[in-house]
Amino acid sequence: MGDKKTVHLDFHNMMADSIGPEHGITEEELKGLEPLASQYVKELKDERIQGKLPFLDLPYNQDIVVQILETVDFIKEKFKNLVVLGIGGSALGNIAIHTALNHSFHNLLTDRERNGFPRIFIHDNIDPDGFSHLLDIIKPHETLFNFTTKSGTTVETMSQFLILIRLLRNKLGNGYKDHIITITDSERGTLRAITEREGFQSFSIPAGVGGRYSVLTPVGLFSAAMSGVDIGALLDGAAWVDKACQSDNIWENPALMGAALYFLSHAGKNKNLLIMMSYSSALRGAADWFCQLWAESLGKKFSVSKEIIHTGSTPVKAIGVTDQHSQLQLYMEGPYDKVITFWKIERFINTVPIINKEDAVESGLEYLQGHSLNDLIETEFEGTRLALTEQKRPNCTITLDELSAFTLGQLFYLFELQTAYAGKFYKVNTFDQPGVEAGKINTLALLGKKEFEQRKTEITVQLQKKKEGYRISCGN
Ligand code: PA5
C-alpha cells in the first residue's frame, strides 16, 4: 500500500477502560462477537463472489473513468453551468464530493479560476421557490442538465425533467438535446425509454447497485469530473480500503470493528443515536451522505427471517466547531443515548495564522498569539473529545491524513462496507427500503395515478377525518 494515505479509527473512548463499563464496551464483549463477525465477513465475501454485491467491485471499474473523462473533455467548455437533478442516493454522493473537494465558493470563482470547468448546482428538492430561484440564475443556452435516477421513475426527478424539457425546447429549439445528459438504469424505467427514443447522451448505473451505494458510479463520478475532481483517485482510495478491510478478524478490519462497536453500543448499551461530528466543514455533505446510507440501510421493521424487530440507530450530522455552540450541551449533559464519531483531518490544505507571536494584540487575547486557525480547530476538537470522555460519553475518531479525492474515496468505501457489515449484525436486508414505498404510493394515489385509485379513496377519507379536529391557530 506504499505511500498512500491511511484512514485511522481510534475507538479507545468507546471502551470500558476509558469511560467505564456502564457506557463503554469491554474487550470481552468484543471478543464474544468475534465468531459472528468472522462468519459475516465470509458471508459477504460469498455474496460478492456470487455477484450479489456489485457496489463492492466499483473501485476497479477503470473503464468508466476513461469514458467519463472523454465525455467531460468534449463538453466541459461548452457549458457555464452543470445542473444535477436527482434525489436521495442520486444526489447526496454528488453533494458530498462537491462540498469536500471543490473550492467552498466554486460557483463564485471565475472561469479561469475554475480551470474552465462549469459552475455546479445540485438540486435535490422540489420546493417551488427554490426551483424558481435556480431558473432565475441559470441561462438554458449555457447550461447542461444532468438528470439522475436509478429507477427512472422517481416523481421528483421526473417532474423536474418535464419542466426543464419544456423550457429547453422553447428556448433552444432543435439543439436542446445537447443540453441534456441522463444517468439511469441501462434498461428499465421511463427515463431510459425517453433517453433511447430521443437520443440523449447518457451513462448507465450498473445493475444491482442501489442509489445510496452508487456514488462511485457515473451518478457521483460524472458531476465530480465536470468540476475537475480526480475521479480515478476516488476509485483508488476506495480500492485501498477494500484491500485493507479483507480480514475476518475484527481487530484487523476497521470497517468490521466500526460496525461491531456501533452495534454493541446500540444493542447492549442503548445508544440509539449516532452523531457524526465532522471537524471539517467540507465533509458536511459526506456526513449527510452517511446519514442516508445508515438510516435507509438499517432502519427496518423486519429481520431477514421476517420477525418484526423495528431496528436501527438514528444518524445525526454535526459540524465541529459550529455545533459546539449548538448541540454539544445536549451531548455533554443530556441522556446517555448517543455515540459520537468525530471526523478529523490531520492536515488541512491551508494554514491560516491568527496573529503572529511578535504582533501586538488586544489585552485578553494574548493566548491567541502565535496560533493559527489550524491550531484552534485542533485544540477545540481535543478539548471537546476530552470533555465528552470525562462525562463517560462513548466516542470514536476517524482521521483522514488529508482531504483529497483519494481519502474521500476511502471514506465512502469504509462506510459502505461498515454499513453492509452492520446489516449482518442487525440481521436486516441492508439494500432495500420498503418503508419509503408507503409515502410514495400515497403521493402517487393523491396525484391520480391510475393503479392507485382504491388507495386514493381510502386516504381521502383519512385526510378528511384529520381536518375535522385537533387544530389550533395563532390569529384568526
Ligand atoms: O438509496 C436509494 O435507493 C434511494 O435513496 C434512492 O436513491 C432515491 O429514492 C432516488 O431513487 P432514484 O435514483 O431511483 O430516483
Side-chain angles (χ1 to χ4, degrees), residues 25-85:
I25 294 164
T26 61
E27 271 203 43
E28 290 62 45
E29 285 168 322
L30 270 174
K31 285 208 171 91
L33 216 60
E34 280 176 8
L36 266 185
S38 156
Q39 176 194 322
Y40 293 155
V41 171
K42 291 193 183 98
E43 283 178 19
L44 271 190
K45 279 187 181 163
D46 286 347
E47 288 163 27
R48 183 174 185 175
I49 290 165
Q50 291 160 25
K52 291 182 183 163
L53 302 171
F55 76 94
L56 290 175
D57 296 318
L58 294 172
Y60 305 99
N61 189 354
Q62 288 300 330
D63 287 353
I64 199 65
V65 172
V66 174
Q67 284 171 37
I68 289 175
L69 291 180
E70 272 171 16
T71 306
V72 168
D73 261 3
F74 184 63
I75 58 177
K76 77 164 194 189
E77 296 206 354
K78 293 186 184 163
F79 299 104
K80 182 169 181 192
N81 309 307
L82 172 70
V83 175
V84 180
L85 291 313

Side-chain angles (χ1 to χ4, degrees), residues 73-147:
D73 261 3
F74 184 63
I75 58 177
K76 77 164 194 189
E77 296 206 354
K78 293 186 184 163
F79 299 104
K80 182 169 181 192
N81 309 307
L82 172 70
V83 175
V84 180
L85 291 313
I87 196 163
S90 287
L92 287 164
N94 305 58
I95 297 171
I97 297 173
H98 180 55
T99 48
L101 301 179
N102 289 329
H103 191 286
S104 299
F105 299 99
H106 177 85
N107 288 350
L108 298 184
L109 300 178
T110 62
D111 291 352
R112 230 171 109 190
E113 286 163 338
R114 291 195 314 271
N115 295 319
F117 289 103
R119 304 189 296 175
I120 308 284
F121 301 86
I122 303 164
H123 208 78
D124 66 347
N125 206 350
I126 48 164
D127 174 319
D129 291 335
F131 197 76
S132 302
H133 294 165
L134 175 71
L135 297 186
D136 287 343
I137 58 141
I138 49 127
K139 296 191 176 73
H141 70 273
E142 51 188 29
T143 304
L144 179 67
F145 293 89
N146 167 202
F147 297 95

Side-chain angles (χ1 to χ4, degrees), residues 127-415:
D127 174 319
D129 291 335
F131 197 76
S132 302
H133 294 165
L134 175 71
L135 297 186
D136 287 343
I137 58 141
I138 49 127
K139 296 191 176 73
H141 70 273
E142 51 188 29
T143 304
L144 179 67
F145 293 89
N146 167 202
F147 297 95
T148 298
T149 161
K150 164 82 178 169
S151 61
T153 56
T154 298
V155 62
E156 294 87 351
T157 310
M158 294 313 290
S159 299
Q160 292 166 328
F161 176 79
L162 291 177
I163 297 165
L164 289 166
I165 285 289
R166 194 181 60 236
L167 180 88
L168 288 175
R169 278 192 188 125
N170 287 344
K171 297 261 180 207
L172 307 177
N174 287 340
Y176 84 96
K177 289 184 187 175
D178 296 341
H179 292 254
I180 294 171
I181 185 160
T182 66
I183 300 179
T184 187
D185 190 84
S186 62
E187 291 171 6
R188 292 178 309 128
T190 309
L191 189 60
R192 174 51 63 199
I194 299 173
T195 296
E196 297 307 312
R197 190 188 69 218
E198 300 293 325
F200 295 146
Q201 306 173 80
S202 183
F203 287 105
S204 296
I205 304 170
V209 178
R212 57 192 177 274
Y213 295 87
S214 68
V215 61
L216 300 176
T217 72
V219 172
L221 299 181
F222 174 69
S223 66
M226 281 292 277
S227 58
V229 167
D230 182 349
I231 58 173
L234 269 173
L235 295 193
D236 289 346
W240 192 97
V241 168
D242 180 30
K243 293 188 182 96
C245 292
Q246 286 294 322
S247 173
D248 66 351
N249 179 342
I250 202 166
W251 301 94
E252 293 170 4
N253 181 336
L256 187 62
M257 178 58 94
L261 290 168
Y262 289 164
F263 175 73
L264 280 176
S265 302
H266 183 201
K269 318 268 170 190
N270 293 324
K271 312 292 178 237
N272 61 349
L273 294 172
L274 212 56
I275 314 294
M276 291 289 163
M277 189 159 187
S278 166
Y279 274 74
S280 150
S281 314
L283 285 173
R284 68 190 181 280
D288 282 328
W289 168 87
F290 171 83
C291 288
Q292 188 223 6
L293 179 72
W294 191 261
E296 225 171 52
S297 296
L298 304 175
K300 298 287 155 70
K301 177 174 179 182
F302 293 105
S303 71
V304 276
S305 52
K306 304 286 176 245
E307 287 158 280
I308 295 186
I309 52 171
H310 290 297
T311 196
S313 56
T314 304
V316 178
K317 173 182 78 173
I319 299 297
V321 301
T322 310
D323 283 312
Q324 288 177 203
H325 297 263
S326 163
Q327 302 293 308
L328 185 62
Q329 168 65 28
L330 175 69
Y331 304 165
M332 285 286 287
E333 297 189 357
Y336 279 86
D337 55 0
K338 302 169 194 65
V339 168
I340 294 123
T341 302
F342 295 107
W343 297 11
K344 184 174 171 301
I345 294 172
E346 199 62 46
R347 283 182 308 282
F348 285 90
I349 296 163
N350 297 286
T351 301
V352 182
I354 300 172
I355 183 148
N356 294 328
K357 260 201 172 98
E358 55 281 9
D359 290 342
V361 67
E362 303 289 335
S363 137
L365 296 176
E366 297 87 348
Y367 66 96
L368 291 172
Q369 272 178 324
H371 288 300
S372 61
L373 289 183
N374 307 58
D375 300 334
L376 186 56
I377 195 166
E378 169 74 23
T379 316
E380 292 203 31
F381 156 70
E382 282 298 0
T384 303
R385 178 164 71 165
L386 180 64
L388 284 163
T389 306
E390 284 173 342
Q391 291 301 313
K392 305 191 185 319
R393 305 288 171 165
N395 65 84
C396 56
T397 305
I398 291 176
T399 307
L400 303 180
D401 283 345
E402 62 186 20
L403 187 50
S404 65
F406 185 86
T407 60
L408 186 65
Q410 289 182 313
L411 200 66
F412 282 144
Y413 201 90
L414 180 75
F415 281 135

